[in-house]
């Protein structure tokens, strides 16, 4: 852990402030990055990021492993300044409503109670976006692997919240895509050679969104396995595309 913390600090990830969100008897750890040159009299976009299964826990630091550096890049902070929220899923929980961690399992096609961790994220977001320093027309969500699945799920649970979404190597409920398909611009990413979460899931989600009246963007990386988030983060327009979107009135 000391080595990990040292590595993270070298990357200036300590700029993400440690926070906790408490609802009744449950606690959600999260990190938050304030907008560059934060002015409490201004309104800023909010970017929610859902990590993968390997970053679960209660250390409130591991969730920054993939993606944390991206939002600290000078050009991103200057040109696409925003709040950035990285919640951490507890070790024995999952963002998506899956019965197990078998990623090829079929998702339920009905709306049930969310898992505890995602439920807390939803409550946090419901509360946070009401701040006067938030531009409610520019709320975004990204996620990778388990977080990509969480991205598809939070979209159908809060279809009117988000202005854009970027699920990476994920999976979701195809039948529930109709709840957000024509409301939220989506850019889907996956690796063609992913053996952990099959790319067929992203392809099927894209098709479901199209069938439901949406117009998703999709990038499939050849000769790429599960770590396709590295490719997605390297896209020149990844952050730019997201921040170009505003919620439909």
């Amino acid at each position: 852990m000391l080595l990990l913390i040292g590595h993270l600090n070298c990357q200036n990830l300590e700029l993400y402030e440690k926070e906790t969100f408490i609802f009744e008897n449950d606690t959600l750890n999260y990190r938050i990055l304030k907008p560059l040159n934060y002015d409490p009299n201004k309104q800023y976009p909010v970017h929610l990021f859902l990590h993968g299964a390997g970053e679960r826990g209660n250390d409130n630091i591991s969730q920054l492993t993939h993606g944390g550096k991206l939002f600290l890049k000078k050009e991103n902070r200057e040109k696409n300044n925003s709040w950035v929220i990285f919640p951490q899923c507890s070790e024995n929980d999952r963002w998506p409503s899956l019965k197990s961690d078998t990623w090829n399992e079929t998702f339920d096609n009905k709306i049930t109670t969310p898992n505890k961790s995602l439920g807390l994220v939803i409550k946090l977001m419901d509360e946070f976006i009401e701040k006067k320093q938030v531009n409610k027309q520019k709320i975004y969500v990204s996620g990778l692997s388990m977080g990509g699945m969480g991205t598809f799920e939070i979209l159908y649970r809060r279809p009117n919240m988000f202005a854009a979404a970027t699920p990476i190597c994920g999976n979701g409920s195809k039948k529930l895509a109709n709840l957000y398909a024509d409301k939220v611009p989506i850019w889907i990413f996956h690796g063609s050679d992913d053996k952990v979460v099959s790319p067929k899931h992203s392809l099927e989600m894209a098709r479901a969104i199209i069938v439901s009246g949406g117009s998703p963007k999709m990038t499939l990386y050849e000769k790429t396995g599960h770590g396709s988030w590295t490719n997605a983060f390297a896209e020149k327009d990844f952050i730019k595309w997201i921040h170009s979107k505003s919620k439909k009135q």
Side-chain angles (χ1 to χ4, degrees), residues 209-229:
I209 291 167
I210 291 169
V211 169
S212 297
S215 181
K217 182 175 182 177
M218 182 163 184
T219 300
L220 195 63
Y221 299 107
E222 64 178 342
K223 300 186 186 306
T224 300
H226 190 52
S228 54
W229 51 84

Side-chain angles (χ1 to χ4, degrees), residues 6-179:
H7 172 71
L8 293 178
N9 283 343
C10 287
Q11 303 298 331
N12 291 323
L13 292 183
E14 73 274 10
L15 291 175
Y16 288 88
E17 298 175 9
K18 282 187 176 182
E19 297 288 352
T20 56
F21 175 76
I22 299 173
F23 179 78
E24 295 180 347
N25 295 320
D26 297 319
T27 300
L28 176 75
N29 290 323
Y30 69 98
R31 290 282 190 137
I32 186 166
L33 180 68
K34 283 185 177 179
L36 183 67
N37 301 320
Y38 173 66
D39 182 344
N41 295 312
K42 292 184 178 181
Q43 292 185 324
Y44 301 90
V46 178
H47 201 139
L48 171 68
F49 194 97
L50 302 178
H51 64 76
E55 293 75 62
R56 289 176 292 183
N58 61 4
D59 62 2
N60 205 3
I61 191 169
S62 297
Q63 72 267 36
L64 297 174
T65 302
H66 303 297
K69 300 176 194 175
L70 176 69
F71 296 97
L72 291 177
K73 287 186 175 181
K74 186 172 183 287
E75 60 270 28
N76 289 335
R77 299 206 75 190
E78 290 179 349
K79 296 180 181 179
N80 301 292
N81 203 15
S82 69
W83 297 96
V84 184
I85 299 176
F86 272 77
Q88 186 175 35
C89 183
S90 59
E91 188 171 1
N92 298 315
D93 200 6
R94 296 175 297 279
W95 300 129
S97 296
L98 279 176
K99 297 174 182 176
S100 75
D101 281 330
T102 304
W103 303 131
N104 285 325
E105 186 175 341
T106 301
F107 275 74
D108 288 336
N109 289 313
K110 58 184 179 180
I111 300 178
T112 57
T113 301
N115 286 344
K116 182 187 293 185
S117 292
L118 187 66
L120 288 170
V121 169
I122 291 170
K123 289 181 174 66
L124 167 64
M125 291 297 292
D126 285 344
E127 183 177 302
F128 190 85
I129 67 172
E130 292 302 322
K131 292 179 178 290
K132 67 177 184 179
Q133 295 86 5
V134 167
N135 181 347
K136 294 177 72 172
Q137 304 306 311
K138 297 179 78 66
I139 311 297
Y140 310 115
V141 59
S142 299
L144 58 91
S145 193
M146 181 187 75
M149 300 176 192
T151 297
F152 282 123
E153 182 159 331
I154 201 170
L155 285 176
Y156 77 67
R157 294 188 184 279
R158 287 294 184 273
N160 297 312
M161 178 180 287
F162 298 101
T166 48
I168 305 168
C169 56
N171 189 5
S173 169
K174 294 181 284 296
K175 288 189 176 179
L176 296 178
N178 68 302
L179 297 176

Side-chain angles (χ1 to χ4, degrees), residues 70 168 187 189 221 227-236 238:
L70 176 69
I168 305 168
W187 189 357
F189 302 86
Y221 299 107
S228 54
W229 51 84
T230 301
N231 304 67
F233 297 159
E235 292 278 351
K236 182 180 67 172
F238 182 79

